[in-house]
Amino acid sequence: DVKVTQSSRYLVKRTGEKVFLECVQDMDHENMFWYRQDPGLGLRLIYFSYDVKMKEKGDIPEGYSVSREKKERFSLILESASTNQTSMYLCASSTRLNNSPLHFGNGTRLTVT
Amino acid sequence: AQTVTQSQPEMSVQEAETVTLSCTYDTSESDYYLFWYKQPPSRQMILVIRQEAYKQQNATENRFSVNFQKAAKSFSLKISDSQLGDAAMYFCAYRRYTSGTYKYIFGTGTRLKVLA
């Protein structure tokens, strides 16, 4: 079974802090994604990566950056956390195969105070 | 731009009954994949079922089946013999190919309550 592990289940940070959300997958997947989940808005794509050191902006990249130095790890960085970044963050991975679904981590609920 | 619409924020169903969750999408592409994901209170998103657009036969996975109407751009999920464990948020997703890989666009979700 594919395992996608997010380093924290709950996180509380202060406004202005630099925040790192880590995600690791164990199935050698090429593609990795960061989503933000908010009630009534569904899942919105922040960034994705289809290879090591490659990254593409999603639909809501403002205020975020990412890093993918190794194939199995994809980090989401909040350069200066703000209260409007309080949300649930979901990491996911997939292969390049045409019918590959997304495999999700358990999510990190981030609160910025 | 592709969009995915789930018009039912919340649905309820009696245990053992059947319920249908609706999903419509907008696209100009001819080949694509559609997915239904389930998110229980544990927050783990689980793939329920997938459908490839060029396949006319509706996908089925045990008690879960879809009604895929390509011309109408509709992709509804039918849950038969509903169980308490089916209570969750359900998300419809559309996958498109861009920038050398696949991107997934999600609807806003439908919360399903199962009544004992």
Side-chain angles (χ1 to χ4, degrees):
Chain A
D1 250 6
V2 177
K3 187 147 182 165
V4 180
T5 303
Q6 293 184 231
S7 53
S8 304
R9 194 156 171 83
Y10 297 94
L11 211 51
V12 179
K13 295 293 181 181
R14 294 196 180 274
T15 302
E17 276 193 82
K18 190 168 185 176
V19 181
F20 293 85
L21 302 184
E22 306 288 347
C23 175
V24 177
Q25 49 94 5
D26 66 357
M27 283 301 291
D28 204 37
H29 283 177
E30 295 86 359
N31 304 324
M32 295 189 76
F33 305 80
W34 275 107
Y35 285 90
R36 171 176 171 158
Q37 182 181 0
D38 299 288
L41 296 178
L43 279 70
R44 293 179 292 167
L45 182 63
I46 304 172
Y47 267 96
F48 67 100
S49 168
Y50 53 87
D51 204 346
V52 176
K53 297 191 185 296
M54 304 301 290
K55 60 184 178 184
E56 292 281 342
K57 292 181 180 179
D59 301 316
I60 52 164
E62 297 77 19
Y64 304 94
S65 62
V66 290
S67 171
R68 193 166 181 200
E69 296 296 317
K70 294 184 178 181
K71 191 174 185 180
E72 68 270 19
R73 186 180 296 270
F74 192 36
S75 304
L76 180 69
I77 304 155
L78 286 66
E79 296 290 342
S80 177
S82 63
T83 54
N84 63 12
Q85 292 178 309
T86 291
S87 186
M88 171 76 77
Y89 290 88
L90 293 172
C91 175
S93 70
S94 73
T95 72
R96 287 196 184 131
L97 292 176
N98 191 27
N99 63 350
S100 174
L102 287 174
H103 300 268
F104 284 88
N106 270 352
T108 296
R109 189 176 295 281
L110 172 67
T111 302
V112 182
T113 61
Chain B
Q2 287 88 0
T3 58
V4 176
T5 302
Q6 293 180 251
S7 58
Q8 307 151 316
E10 192 170 290
M11 295 279 285
S12 296
V13 62
Q14 290 286 341
E15 203 175 359
E17 297 292 309
T18 296
V19 65
T20 298
L21 309 183
S22 67
C23 173
T24 59
Y25 58 94
D26 183 30
T27 185
S28 57
E29 297 173 349
S30 59
D31 193 20
Y32 46 87
Y33 266 89
L34 296 162
F35 302 84
W36 276 99
Y37 282 89
K38 169 186 176 182
Q39 187 182 43
S42 68
R43 297 179 351 202
Q44 179 70 57
M45 293 276 275
I46 303 163
L47 175 68
V48 175
I49 201 165
R50 76 185 101 176
Q51 173 84 41
E52 187 160 12
Y54 78 80
K55 288 186 178 176
Q56 296 196 352
Q57 187 173 4
N58 289 326
T60 298
E61 290 285 343
N62 301 313
R63 297 182 295 107
F64 298 87
S65 61
V66 299
N67 183 5
F68 174 49
Q69 303 286 332
K70 191 173 184 179
K73 297 179 183 175
S74 170
F75 182 59
S76 59
L77 175 69
K78 186 171 86 170
I79 306 174
S80 304
D81 185 25
S82 297
Q83 300 174 0
L84 294 176
D86 294 334
M89 282 291 289
Y90 286 82
F91 291 95
C92 177
Y94 166 97
R95 192 189 73 184
R96 64 184 175 98
Y97 188 78
T98 183
S99 301
T101 189
Y102 294 102
K103 281 178 67 176
Y104 298 75
I105 301 167
F106 286 81
T108 53
T110 296
R111 182 174 300 281
L112 178 66
K113 296 184 177 180
V114 181
L115 309 174

